[in-house]
Amino acid sequence: MSYCRQEGKDRIIFVTKEDHEAPSNAELVADDPNDPYEEQGLILPNGDINWNCPCLGGMASGPCGSQFKEAFSCFHYSKEEVKGSECIDNFRNMQECMQRYPELYPQEEDKESSQAEASSSSVSAAPTEGSALPPETDSTPATSTSESAVSSDSTSLIDNQTAS
Amino acid sequence: IHTTAQLKMDFAHQLLVHVRDYYVTLPLCYQNHHPPLSRPQLSLQSRPLHLLWRVVSTVHDLCMEPVHLSWVLMIIQDHALTVSLFCFLPFSFFSLSLSRARCRSLMQTPGGPAPASLKVPSHTPYLLIGGGTASFAAARSIRARDPGAKVLIVTDEPDPPYMRPPLSKELWFSNDPSVTETLRFKQWNGKERSIYFQPPSFYINAEELDGAENGGVAVLTGKKVVHMDVRGNKIKLDDDTEISYDKCLIATGGVPRNLQVIERAGEEVMKKTTLFRKIEDFKSLDKVSRNIKSITIIGGGFLGSELACALGRRSTEYDLEVVQMFPEKGNMGKVLPEYLSNWTTEKVKSEGVKVISEALVKSVVCKDDKLEIKLKDGRLVKTDHIVAAVGLEPNVDLAKSAGLEVDSDFGGFRVNAELQARSNIWVAGDAACFYDIRLGRRRVEHHDHAVVSGRLAGENMTGANKPYWHQSMFWSDLGPDVGYEAIGIVDSSLPTVGVFAKATAKDTPKAATEKSGTGIRSESETEDTAISPVASLTPAPNVGQHKDEYGKGVIFYLRDKVVVGIILWNVFNRMPIARKIIKDGEEHADLNEVAKLFNIHDD
């Protein structure tokens, strides 16, 4: 049973888990997906790339920003069968640029990345409502997954994943 | 010899590492609060990024076989995430043609002053006055939207843009003795980063800005803008250099306020007083706090309480007495409703702080190399050093020469909903008094607001014409057990409704776990055991307040029956729901029903 008390203008309610079990009847206003004021994701409603998406971090704005934009744009609008296959030069330019700024675009050795990954695996906290992602597994470096890379039995991989 | 699959995997791995490093720990992602360091969790605001990482790494493990890809994609609900996944994964198919460059990742070097420029450009398309968070966010926004944009940041500080929150939080918890030099801290995900948004190599030299083919961001440090000529679209620096601009952002932030009694108390007292805001203040306070016996923080708000807790943690280690005094009844008295403010004060005390509430400083004198603080009620506090955390004075020095309006209610430059002051002039961050379509005119002094408003200003400087709409949030931690996130107008003078998870015998907080390698006590003391359900049913107005454990919950702040502010008390990853409720601006008959949306009982 919930318990309620008033202290002057402030109301305090204590609720148990059971109290909050029934779904809420609070009404929320339906969102307009095309609201121009809202923060946009990576792809805008008209299909363009949102270069200012926070998810891109500094990729579009740093020293290799223009190379990145060219490569990604080329890829995004590519209609080839293997998407982006005509964009190899752009990707190469991008990678060459990024190599000149290792501080900004780090490319780690496997050893280091496995260490960092071990600590970042705890990044993946329990997924929130709805997303039923498989349980966290350490992303192991490429070398040690060579067996699974070579394995062609796709079904068994799914099973392994869900079973772990 | 590597197989094709191996090469694919290697490059995909590289790409993923890059994605993780660059996206997951992107500098502006710091806007997303992380819970007290003892309990790292994901913030929903960054959820797409982390989902991206998790999904990509999952697919990586599954070798990107198309059938697995579609299975994984089915699970992802975020449309943008799905699209971005499509975009990034196939990069791996180019691994065969691109050479693998395996550079050892370099430790980020401490961001020193940007290289001193000999020749400052006489004109810049984008001029950003101030080198803080809002300015950096704007620079990034401009560069993202205007290809090849040339952006000049002018700051009177010696440092390139950096984030402020760690100066009163994480940097104090670092185990590294050289932290005052490196200015690196451990994030919630265990990864270390610098407080500087970007290392020096991100920026180009000011003198190279004009000729830069693809543009860039240049930072002019140690220079102050002293005059602004709006008609002529130009500014003048303190060395008489003139720079003209096409578009200008004023992001001058503010200067810490001081108590008048201290200002009048003379040089001896001023020498033993710290006004805390910048890197140099952190460095000097760190040094001072190691060499004295007693320190007093005046101010009971965010900064004061955070510094008090940070120093309180050191108190046993360094034999340091930490006192915090303020006029309110409890910590965060202007933000939290009284019952919660009182509860919080007890928590601050348990961090080793001697809290003196309802304290009004009457005078401060220096006697025998010690400071004597006399309070209006007669109490006397003797201490070695004072930290004054009594608010921020927005920097509107340029208002006069520029002819810009200053707001008399909130201070700061008055701007419209699009953050514009005059035709080519925008203002963002602490110095901006702006019109919030939903909540009315306000001025906000928080990190995330600097990021959000800086970004918006940058967007509008490149032609977007969008109003302030995405509500910024803020957060604070008080020790390893109490953390909260807040959004909107969170003013304790408003009526509030707080919905808390009733503590049951089962509800003991988990002990702090792996992520505590930062020098904090590695185990949180389990909170005082929950009250039994029976006891809570018998209302005992006098005693009940102390028996109640406000472990976790959500507090609504109301103005004319509409929720204008929300605090998420020790519940994390729910900010988007809070943001939505404020955005809707609806009257809700039963706030307990609204509280249900937060699932406060889940972890």
Side-chain angles (χ1 to χ4, degrees), chain B residues 171-172 174-180 282-293 295 311 314 317-320:
Chain B
L171 289 184
W172 292 92
S174 171
N175 266 335
D176 182 358
S178 63
V179 68
T180 47
F282 164 71
K283 288 182 176 180
S284 82
L285 187 61
D286 174 83
K287 193 161 160 209
V288 159
S289 66
R290 291 169 195 272
N291 299 318
I292 53 173
K293 288 271 168 243
I295 190 164
L311 288 164
R314 285 192 174 187
E317 204 187 326
Y318 292 111
D319 188 27
L320 173 71

Side-chain angles (χ1 to χ4, degrees), chain A residues 72-88:
Chain A
F72 197 23
S73 291
C74 174
F75 176 82
H76 179 64
Y77 292 112
S78 163
K79 301 258 182 292
E80 298 296 316
E81 204 181 302
V82 179
K83 195 166 165 72
S85 52
E86 75 275 32
C87 309
I88 289 199

Side-chain angles (χ1 to χ4, degrees), chain B residues 136-147:
Chain B
F136 182 78
R140 179 174 276 189
S141 200
I142 292 168
R143 288 277 301 160
R145 290 172 50 87
D146 181 356

Side-chain angles (χ1 to χ4, degrees), chain A residues 3-77:
Chain A
Y3 148 58
C4 180
R5 128 170 148 244
Q6 189 87 21
E7 278 189 23
K9 61 170 178 65
D10 302 313
R11 189 178 184 76
I12 310 164
I13 306 171
F14 288 92
V15 290
T16 62
K17 197 169 167 122
E18 292 70 42
D19 291 329
H20 267 200
E21 242 163 20
S24 170
N25 64 20
E27 281 171 26
L28 298 177
V29 174
D31 274 333
D32 173 11
N34 293 322
D35 186 349
Y37 288 1
E38 284 295 332
E39 293 270 305
Q40 301 287 350
L42 181 61
I43 307 297
L44 298 169
N46 66 0
D48 287 341
I49 300 167
N50 176 19
W51 296 117
N52 207 12
C53 178
C55 63
L56 288 178
M59 289 286 271
S61 56
C64 300
S66 43
Q67 287 89 342
F68 169 76
K69 282 189 199 173
E70 272 168 27
F72 197 23
S73 291
C74 174
F75 176 82
H76 179 64
Y77 292 112

